[in-house]
C-alpha cells in the first residue's frame, strides 16, 4: 500500500467529482479489462487537509489502512491505494455518499441500511475491539445496488489506545451533534462502545424523523428507543448495539428474510433447507416490486444459486416471469418487474466464467430469454454463449447449444450461427395440404452451406418416383463457398458424409438422363426425382 506500483492498470477517472470534503475529493472511475470494473477513487492533496491535526499518516491514508485491515460485508470494500507525486489515491467499490441519496430512500430501505451499519459496528466492537468515533451520514456510502456501507474510518481507534486526549484532538473533525455532552465520563467505566451507541441513536433519529410510522412495523417505538435509550445521558444505561439488532424494528418478517439471505454463508445446511422450502410462500405476502428491488440481489447471489434446495424450491419461481393470463401462477415476478430489476443482474451474471453458475442460468434460460432486449442478446449474451461452446466441459457445451437454439427464433439464424445459406429443402406435401396451411408458414426452413469440395463428389442414387411425385419441376440452389463463423463446426472429413449419401450397390447404367447431376460453376441442379431418392 502507498507506493506508485500499486496504481491500477487501465484506470480512468472522471473529471467531475462526486464529493469534496475537508480531507479528500471523491471521483467515479473505471478500470479497462476483460470486464469493465466501476470503482470509486478518493484523492487527497496537502491543500485539502493542511489544517487537520492528524499528524502522519494523513486522514485518507489512515482510512485506507483501516479499510484494508478491517474487512466486513457491511464495511466499504477496499480495492487498492497508492501515492503519486504529492497525491494519495484510495480505490474502493463504486459508491456514492448517503447524503446524496437519502431523500430517495424508502423507510424499508433505511431500515435495511441501518441494519447493515449496526452489523458493521458490532463487528468493530466485538471482533476488532475498536471504536469508529465519527458515525454520521457523511461516513456512510451506498452501492449501486442500494446497500449501505460504513466508511469514514479515519477516526478509528482501538479501545486500548483510546484516550481523552485523542478524542479532544479530533473533536473538531467529528459530527458535533453525535458527541455526547458528558463523553468524558466513559473513561471511568471504560465502556468505549457507548461512543458509537450514542452516535447511532442520533443518526437513526435524524434519518427517520420525517418517515411515516405506518411504513414499517415498530417504527414509532424504535424512534422513542433511539431518543430515550441510545442517547441516554448516562452511558451505562445505553443498550449495546448487538442487542439493538433484536429490536422489533429489525425483526419483522421482511427483515428476517433479508437478514437470513444476507448472512447465508453463516448458516448450516439444515437451516438453509428449511428456509428455502418455505421462502416462496413467505415472499408472496409482499409486493413483487419491493421483493425485486430490495431482495433481487440476494435472491440471485452465488450462495443461493449453488444451494441444492434453492435450485429446486426457489429458482424455478424466480427465473420464470409470470404469464399475464395465468392468475394462479406461483412465479414471483411479472414480466415488467423482471425486466426492470432482474435483467440487469442477469446480464452481469452471464459475464461470470464459472461453470456452476453458468449451468444454473442455462437450465432456466428458455424461461427468461424473451425478457432481454434484442441488442442485449446480440451484444452481451450471445458473445458469452459462444465462449461456452469452446469449453472442454461437455455438459456446458450441450447446455449452451440448447440456449443458442432458444435465441435463433429471436435474433435469426444468420445472427446466431452466421454465414450465407441457401434453400436446400422443399415442401413436398400434396397441394391440398399446402392449401390448408397445416404447417405454419412462419417456420423458417433450415439452411446451411455445403463446402465446394463436397459438392463436386456427391452422387445420388436412383429411385423410382413415388406416387404423387410426378411434378418434374426443377429446383436450383446456388451454394457459395464461404468462411464459416464457427470454425469448430466445419466439416473436417468428407468420408462420413459420403458413406451416408452413396448407395451400397452400383447405380444402374440405365439411369435416366434427367437424373444426371451437373455442377457447372458451382451450381447444384437436382430434379424432383432426385429429391425423392434422398
Amino acid at each position: 500500500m502507498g507506493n506508485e506500483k500499486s496504481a491500477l492498470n487501465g484506470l480512468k477517472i472522471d473529471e467531475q467529482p462526486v464529493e469534496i470534503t475537508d480531507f479528500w475529493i471523491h471521483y467515479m472511475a473505471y478500470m479497462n479489462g476483460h470486464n469493465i470494473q466501476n470503482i470509486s477513487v478518493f484523492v487527497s492533496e496537502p491543500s485539502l487537509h493542511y489544517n487537520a491535526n492528524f499528524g502522519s499518516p494523513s486522514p485518507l491514508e489512515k482510512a485506507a489502512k483501516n479499510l484494508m485491515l478491517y474487512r466486513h460485508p457491511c464495511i466499504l470494500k477496499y480495492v487498492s491505494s497508492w501515492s503519486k507525486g504529492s497525491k494519495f489515491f484510495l480505490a474502493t467499490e463504486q459508491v456514492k455518499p448517503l447524503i446524496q441519496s437519502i431523500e430517495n430512500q424508502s423507510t424499508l430501505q433505511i431500515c435495511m441500511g441501518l441494519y447493515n451499519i449496526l452489523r458493521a459496528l458490532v463487528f468493530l466492537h466485538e471482533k476488532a475491539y475498536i471504536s469508529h468515533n465519527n458515525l454520521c451520514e457523511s461516513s456512510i456510502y451506498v452501492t449501486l445496488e442500494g446497500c449501505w456501507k460504513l466508511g469514514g474510518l479515519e477516526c478509528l481507534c482501538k479501545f486500548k489506545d483510546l484516550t481523552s486526549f485523542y478524542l479532544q484532538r479530533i473533536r473538531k473533525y467529528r459530527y458535533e451533534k453525535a458527541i455526547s455532552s458528558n463523553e468524558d465520563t466513559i473513561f471511568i467505566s471504560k465502556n468505549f462502545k457507548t461512543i458509537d451507541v450514542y452516535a447511532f441513536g442520533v443518526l437513526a433519529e435524524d434519518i427517520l424523523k420525517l418517515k411515516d410510522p405506518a411504513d414499517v412495523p415498530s417504527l414509532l417505538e424504535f424512534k422513542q428507543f433511539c431518543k430515550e435509550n441510545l442517547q441516554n445521558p448516562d452511558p451505562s444505561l445505553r443498550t449495546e448495539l448487538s442487542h439493538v439488532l433484536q429490536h422489533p424494528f429489525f425483526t419483522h418478517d421482511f427483515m428476517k428474510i433479508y437478514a437470513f439471505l444476507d448472512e447465508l454463508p453463516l448458516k448450516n445446511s439444515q437451516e438453509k433447507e428449511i428456509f428455502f422450502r418455505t421462502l416462496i410462500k413467505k415472499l408472496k405476502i409482499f409486493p413483487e416490486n419491493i421483493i425485486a428491488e430490495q431482495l433481487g440481489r440476494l435472491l440471485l447471489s452465488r450462495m443461493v444459486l449453488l444451494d441444492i434446495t434453492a435450485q429446486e424450491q426457489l429458482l424455478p419461481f424466480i427465473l420464470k416471469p409470470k404469464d399475464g393470463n395465468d392468475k394462479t401462477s406461483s412465479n414471483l415476478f411479472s414480466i415488467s418487474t423482471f425486466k426492470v430489476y432482474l435483467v440487469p443482474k442477469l446480464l452481469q451474471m452471464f459475464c461470470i466464467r464459472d461453470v456452476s453458475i453458468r449451468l444454473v442460468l442455462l437450465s432456466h434460460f428458455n424461461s427468461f430469454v424473451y425478457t432481454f432486449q434484442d441488442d442485449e442478446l446480440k451484444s452481451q449474451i450471445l458473445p458469452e454463449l459462444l465462449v461456452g461452446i469452446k469449453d472442454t466441459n461437455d455438459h456446458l457445451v450441450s447446455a449452451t447449444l440448447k440456449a443458442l437454439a432458444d435465441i435463433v427464433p429471436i435474433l435469426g439464424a444468420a445472427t446466431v450461427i452466421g454465414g450465407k445459406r441457401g434453400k436446400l429443402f422443399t415442401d413436398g406435401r400434396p397441394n391440398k395440404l399446402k392449401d390448408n396451411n397445416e404447417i405454419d408458414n412462419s417456420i423458417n426452413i433450415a439452411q446451411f452451406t455445403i463446402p465446394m469440395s463436397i459438392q463436386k463428389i456427391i452422387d445420388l442414387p436412383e429411385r423410382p418416383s413415388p406416387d404423387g411425385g410426378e411434378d418434374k419441376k426443377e429446383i436450383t440452389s446456388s451454394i457459395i463457398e464461404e468462411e464459416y463463423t464457427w470454425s469448430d463446426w466445419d466439416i473436417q472429413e468428407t468420408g462420413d458424409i459420403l458413406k451416408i449419401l452413396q448407395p451400397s450397390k452400383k447405380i444402374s447404367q440405365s439411369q435416366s438422363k434427367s437424373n444426371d447431376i451437373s455442377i457447372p460453376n458451382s451450381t447444384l441442379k437436382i430434379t424432383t426425382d432426385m429429391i425423392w431418392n434422398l
Side-chain angles (χ1 to χ4, degrees):
M1 186 190 80
N3 58 61
E4 296 190 16
K5 293 182 180 180
S6 301
L8 301 174
N9 294 327
L11 178 64
K12 302 293 182 182
I13 301 177
D14 291 350
E15 296 182 0
Q16 188 68 28
V18 175
E19 177 189 33
I20 299 178
T21 71
D22 293 336
F23 296 151
W24 55 70
I25 302 178
H26 177 186
Y27 295 93
M28 293 297 184
Y30 65 91
M31 293 186 295
N32 282 322
H34 170 67
N35 292 317
I36 295 178
Q37 180 181 357
N38 295 316
I39 59 175
S40 285
V41 174
F42 299 82
V43 183
S44 175
E45 297 185 59
S47 60
L48 295 176
H49 56 81
Y50 68 94
N51 60 345
N53 192 24
F54 276 77
S56 182
S58 66
L60 186 61
E61 289 175 315
K62 187 172 182 181
K65 180 180 179 180
N66 289 329
L67 288 176
M68 183 174 60
L69 289 176
Y70 304 110
R71 306 293 186 106
H72 188 273
C74 299
I75 293 178
L76 187 62
K77 183 179 179 181
Y78 172 89
V79 175
S80 182
S81 60
W82 66 95
S83 296
K84 185 175 182 180
S86 61
K87 297 181 179 181
F88 181 80
F89 298 79
L90 166 65
T92 70
E93 62 183 317
Q94 190 173 69
V95 290
K96 59 183 177 181
L98 175 63
I99 296 176
Q100 298 180 5
S101 61
I102 189 62
E103 293 182 358
N104 299 323
Q105 297 265 320
S106 67
T107 308
L108 183 57
Q109 287 176 309
I110 292 174
C111 177
M112 297 166 65
L114 290 174
Y115 182 83
N116 284 351
I117 300 304
L118 272 177
R119 290 179 57 205
L121 291 172
V122 169
F123 165 75
L124 294 178
H125 289 176
E126 300 186 0
K127 300 297 183 181
Y129 305 105
I130 53 181
S131 177
H132 186 279
N133 300 322
N134 193 28
L135 181 64
C136 56
E137 285 188 52
S138 62
S139 64
I140 299 174
Y141 296 88
V142 182
T143 68
L144 297 179
E145 296 174 328
C147 299
W148 289 22
K149 298 296 184 81
L150 180 62
L153 303 190
E154 63 276 3
C155 294
L156 214 67
C157 185
K158 293 182 178 180
F159 290 154
K160 65 179 183 178
D161 299 328
L162 191 60
T163 63
S164 176
F165 174 74
Y166 176 78
L167 293 178
Q168 193 65 33
R169 183 166 64 110
I170 65 172
R171 186 182 180 95
K172 65 178 180 178
Y173 307 111
R174 299 166 64 196
Y175 181 45
E176 186 65 30
K177 189 178 178 180
I179 302 176
S180 174
S181 58
N182 55 352
E183 188 175 72
D184 291 340
T185 60
I186 64 171
F187 292 98
I188 299 175
S189 62
K190 300 295 183 181
N191 187 7
F192 300 124
K193 298 178 183 179
T194 60
I195 297 176
D196 293 337
V197 172
Y198 185 90
F200 181 83
V202 173
L203 171 69
E205 183 184 14
D206 286 348
I207 291 178
L208 295 170
K209 181 166 36 181
L210 301 178
K211 297 300 180 180
D212 187 348
D215 291 346
V216 175
S218 304
L219 174 56
L220 184 59
E221 293 85 345
F222 183 67
K223 288 181 179 180
Q224 295 174 345
F225 176 76
C226 290
K227 182 68 176 178
E228 298 172 4
N229 185 298
L230 301 185
Q231 299 178 56
N232 194 302
D234 185 353
S236 62
L237 298 178
R238 299 171 193 165
T239 301
E240 289 193 6
L241 294 180
S242 57
H243 296 156
V244 178
L245 287 171
Q246 305 305 317
H247 190 279
F249 182 67
F250 297 114
T251 56
H252 54 83
D253 290 342
F254 192 89
M255 282 301 300
K256 286 180 179 178
I257 295 174
Y258 170 77
F260 194 100
L261 289 171
D262 201 38
E263 300 168 6
L264 196 60
L266 305 178
K267 307 298 182 180
N268 60 43
S269 299
Q270 185 177 5
E271 289 174 324
K272 288 188 285 188
E273 182 176 355
I274 296 174
F275 175 76
F276 285 124
R277 286 190 183 281
T278 59
L279 182 56
I280 286 294
K281 184 177 179 180
K282 293 177 181 177
L283 289 176
K284 291 186 76 67
I285 300 175
F286 306 101
E288 64 174 75
N289 62 317
I290 297 296
I291 300 172
E293 183 179 11
Q294 307 303 330
L295 302 180
R297 171 185 61 88
L298 296 173
L299 291 173
L300 294 179
S301 68
R302 177 183 179 84
M303 294 297 297
V304 172
L305 292 179
L306 298 184
D307 185 89
I308 301 299
T309 307
Q311 291 175 5
E312 298 174 354
Q313 304 291 332
L314 177 66
L315 295 184
F317 305 102
I318 291 179
L319 294 177
K320 184 177 182 179
K322 291 179 183 177
D323 183 350
N325 299 323
D326 187 1
K327 303 300 182 181
T328 63
S329 174
S330 298
N331 300 333
L332 281 179
F333 306 117
S334 62
I335 294 177
S336 58
T337 301
F338 194 96
K339 288 181 177 180
V340 173
Y341 297 106
L342 269 65
V343 163
K345 179 64 177 176
L346 289 171
L347 290 173
Q348 296 176 359
M349 294 168 66
F350 267 97
C351 295
I352 300 174
R353 304 280 176 85
D354 184 300
V355 65
S356 300
I357 298 297
R358 178 63 64 86
L359 285 174
V360 172
L361 294 177
L362 293 179
S363 66
H364 299 278
F365 189 71
N366 63 343
S367 297
F368 59 79
V369 61
Y370 59 89
T371 62
F372 295 110
Q373 298 291 334
D374 287 358
D375 60 329
E376 293 172 341
L377 280 174
K378 185 176 181 180
S379 61
Q380 298 182 60
I381 301 298
L382 181 58
E384 290 297 332
L385 292 180
L386 296 181
V387 172
I389 64 174
K390 304 287 187 180
D391 198 84
T392 57
N393 186 308
D394 290 345
H395 190 190
L396 175 61
V397 174
S398 175
T400 302
L401 291 175
K402 293 177 183 178
L404 289 171
D406 293 327
I407 296 181
V408 170
I410 301 175
L411 298 182
T415 300
V416 177
I417 67 173
K420 299 177 182 179
R421 292 151 304 159
K423 184 175 180 181
L424 300 181
F425 286 78
T426 185
D427 189 350
R429 296 173 299 152
N431 291 334
K432 182 177 180 180
L433 292 179
K434 294 180 182 178
D435 295 338
N436 291 336
N437 195 26
E438 289 185 351
I439 297 180
D440 189 352
N441 290 331
S442 64
I443 300 179
N444 294 328
I445 296 178
Q447 299 176 344
F448 58 94
T449 304
I450 300 178
M452 294 295 295
S453 59
I454 297 178
Q455 295 177 34
K456 296 181 180 180
I457 58 177
I458 291 180
D459 195 7
L460 303 178
E462 179 185 10
R463 180 177 180 271
S465 179
D467 293 340
E470 293 81 10
D471 188 358
K472 301 291 185 179
K473 293 182 180 179
E474 295 184 346
I475 303 171
T476 303
S477 175
S478 298
I479 311 299
I480 304 174
E481 183 177 11
E482 63 177 17
E483 180 182 354
Y484 284 2
T485 303
W486 294 355
S487 59
D488 286 17
W489 287 23
D490 287 347
I491 301 176
Q492 299 184 16
E493 295 184 4
T494 61
D496 292 339
I497 295 178
L498 294 179
K499 289 178 182 178
I500 297 174
L501 294 180
Q502 290 179 347
S504 58
K505 61 181 180 180
K506 187 175 181 180
I507 299 177
S508 173
Q509 298 297 326
S510 62
Q511 183 175 358
S512 172
K513 293 182 179 180
S514 64
N515 292 334
D516 291 343
I517 298 178
S518 59
I519 313 179
N521 300 324
S522 301
T523 299
L524 183 63
K525 187 175 183 182
I526 310 174
T527 66
T528 307
D529 287 348
M530 288 297 92
I531 296 175
W532 287 111
N533 290 340
L534 286 172

